[in-house]
Amino acid sequence: AVVMPLYLAECLPPEMRGKGTGIFQLFLGIGLVSAAAVGILVAKVFGAADAAAEVVPSAAKSLAWRVNFWWTVLPVGALLAGSLLLKESPVWLEKRAEKSKARATGMPVKSDGGIRAPDSLRSASSTLFQRRYVAPFLLTLLVLTFNKTIGMSSIVAYAVTLFQKAGLSGSLGNAGDLALKATNLIVTLVAVGLVDRKGRTWLLKVGTAGVTIGLVLIGVLFFALERGWMTPSPVSGFITLAAFLAMQTFYSLGPGICVWLVLSELMPSRIRANGMAIALFANQFTAWGLASSFFPMVNAWGYGPVFFGFAASGVLYFLTVLFIPETKGKSLTEIESLFDP
C-alpha cells in the first residue's frame, strides 16, 4: 500500500507517471472483479457461505469459506514472485550515491546511514512541520482521508447486502456486485488514457462532483424505501443499482485513479516516505473504522441518512480538490517547487 505508489512515482518519467499509476489502479480493479467472480463460482459449486442453514448445510458453508480464503494464496504467491524481480528505484539509488559522496568528502553521516548536517544547518532540517511541507502534506492527508469517508470501502464490502436491501434478492444481488466491480474496471481503463491528457485536477473535480451527486441519489432512494414511500422490488433494486453504477463511474474516473497520483506526486522528496506512510495510515484507519461501524450507524440512523453523510463528505472532498495544483507533465522537483514560500 505504501511502497507501490512510492516506487511508481520514483521510477516513471513525468509524461508516463499518470498512465503508469493508472495501470496500478486498473490491476486493483482486475483483482476486485476476479474476487467477485470467484465468489459467485464458489457459491454455485459449494453454496453461499452466508446462506441460511436450511438452504446450505453447515459443512458445505464451512468448505465454501475455506475455499474463499485459500484460493488467494495464488495471487499472493504471484505478488511475492514478482517482487523478487524488481530493482531499486532511481531516486533511492541517487540518495545512496549522495551518501557515498558525503562519506568521501568527510561530511558526517548518522548511524542509520543518513547524512548528518552540520550544527549550523540542523535547525533547517526537513520535517513534516516545516512551512514548505505543511501544505502538500495536509492536502495529501485530506485527499486520502476523504477518499474513504465518502463510503467506498463500505460500499465495496457490503454491496450485495445493499442491493438486497434495495430489492435485488438472491443471485441478482451478487450480479449487481459483479456489475459494480466491472464498471470500476472499464472506467479505470478509460481514465488511464485520460489522466495524462486531461490532467489530475480536472478528473478529480469531475469525479468528486459526480460521486457526491450519486451519493445524494442513493441516499434519497434508501430514504424513500425506509419511509415506505417505495416498496423494495426488482424495479427499486435496479434503480438503486443504476445510481450505484453512476456513482462508481465517477469515482473510477477521478478519485479512484488520481488518489495514488496525489499521494505520490504532492509529497516532497525529503518527506515522501514518512508522509505517504502517515497519509495511507489515515486512509486505511478511516476505511477500517467506517467498514466496522457501517451497520451500527445504519441501525441507529438508517441507510438514507448514512449515505447523506457520505455525500456531505463528498462536498468537502470537492472543496479540497480546488486547492490542488495541476501536476501533469511535471517532474517531482518541479511539483515540489510549486509549494515553495
Side-chain angles (χ1 to χ4, degrees):
V2 177
V3 175
M4 281 309 304
L6 174 64
Y7 185 80
L8 289 169
E10 293 184 346
C11 289
L12 294 170
E15 64 274 11
M16 289 293 294
R17 198 183 305 120
K19 186 176 294 184
T21 306
I23 291 174
F24 170 60
Q25 175 66 20
L26 177 67
F27 275 87
L28 287 178
I30 292 173
L32 288 173
V33 172
S34 301
V38 170
I40 292 175
L41 178 63
V42 170
K44 286 187 177 295
V45 175
F46 301 100
D50 56 352
E54 59 270 17
V55 178
V56 179
S58 297
K61 289 173 61 176
S62 178
L63 180 59
W65 277 114
R66 291 195 189 103
V67 172
N68 271 325
F69 282 110
W70 274 108
W71 82 271
T72 60
V73 171
L74 296 175
V76 168
L79 179 62
L80 174 61
S83 67
L84 299 177
L85 302 176
L86 294 176
K87 298 180 180 180
E88 293 294 349
S89 74
V91 173
W92 188 84
L93 292 172
E94 185 178 351
K95 287 182 179 180
R96 287 291 296 270
E98 289 176 354
K99 291 174 185 177
S100 298
K101 185 177 180 180
R103 289 189 180 96
T105 56
M107 178 173 280
V109 178
K110 296 186 292 186
S111 59
D112 64 357
I115 297 174
R116 180 182 176 88
D119 292 340
S120 60
L121 298 179
R122 287 178 196 169
S123 60
S125 61
S126 301
T127 70
L128 290 171
F129 304 104
Q130 276 196 342
R131 197 173 80 173
R132 63 179 299 194
Y133 297 145
V134 168
F137 174 70
L138 287 180
L139 281 174
T140 305
L141 189 65
L142 287 172
V143 167
L144 267 289
T145 302
F146 287 139
N147 209 61
K148 294 302 182 182
T149 56
I150 56 176
M152 284 305 300
S153 295
S154 299
I155 292 169
V156 170
Y158 307 120
V160 176
T161 302
L162 291 168
F163 296 145
Q164 290 174 344
K165 179 70 177 179
L168 294 180
S169 58
S171 60
L172 287 177
N174 285 311
D177 178 47
L178 182 60
L180 196 68
K181 292 176 171 62
T183 299
N184 173 57
L185 182 60
I186 294 169
V187 178
T188 298
L189 187 60
V190 174
V192 167
L194 290 176
V195 68
D196 282 321
R197 291 168 50 196
K198 288 291 188 179
R200 287 70 155 141
T201 56
W202 185 86
L203 289 179
L204 275 171
K205 290 172 185 176
V206 172
T208 52
V211 165
T212 302
I213 294 171
L215 289 169
V216 170
L217 291 175
I218 293 168
V220 169
L221 288 168
F222 275 115
F223 195 81
L225 288 167
E226 291 171 324
R227 293 299 184 276
W229 303 339
M230 291 175 60
T231 302
S233 66
V235 174
S236 65
F238 282 116
I239 293 174
T240 305
L241 174 60
F244 272 102
L245 292 177
M247 185 272 301
Q248 180 68 67
T249 296
F250 283 102
Y251 178 83
S252 301
L253 186 66
I257 189 172
C258 292
V259 65
W260 302 110
L261 287 166
V262 169
L263 177 65
S264 59
E265 290 183 337
L266 290 190
M267 289 288 188
S269 58
R270 294 291 181 87
I271 65 167
R272 186 173 294 123
N274 290 337
M276 287 177 65
I278 293 171
L280 271 167
F281 173 79
N283 175 274
Q284 296 301 310
F285 182 82
T286 304
W288 166 79
L290 281 177
S292 61
S293 62
F294 179 71
F295 284 116
M297 290 191 300
V298 165
N299 292 334
W301 304 314
Y303 284 92
V306 168
F307 275 96
F308 288 144
F310 291 158
S313 181
V315 173
L316 297 176
Y317 196 173
F318 176 80
L319 294 175
T320 300
V321 169
L322 299 179
F323 293 94
I324 296 176
E326 181 54 65
T327 57
K328 178 183 69 172
K330 291 182 171 62
S331 69
L332 296 179
T333 303
E334 290 173 328
I335 297 170
E336 187 171 342
S337 67
L338 295 175
F339 295 97
D340 286 343

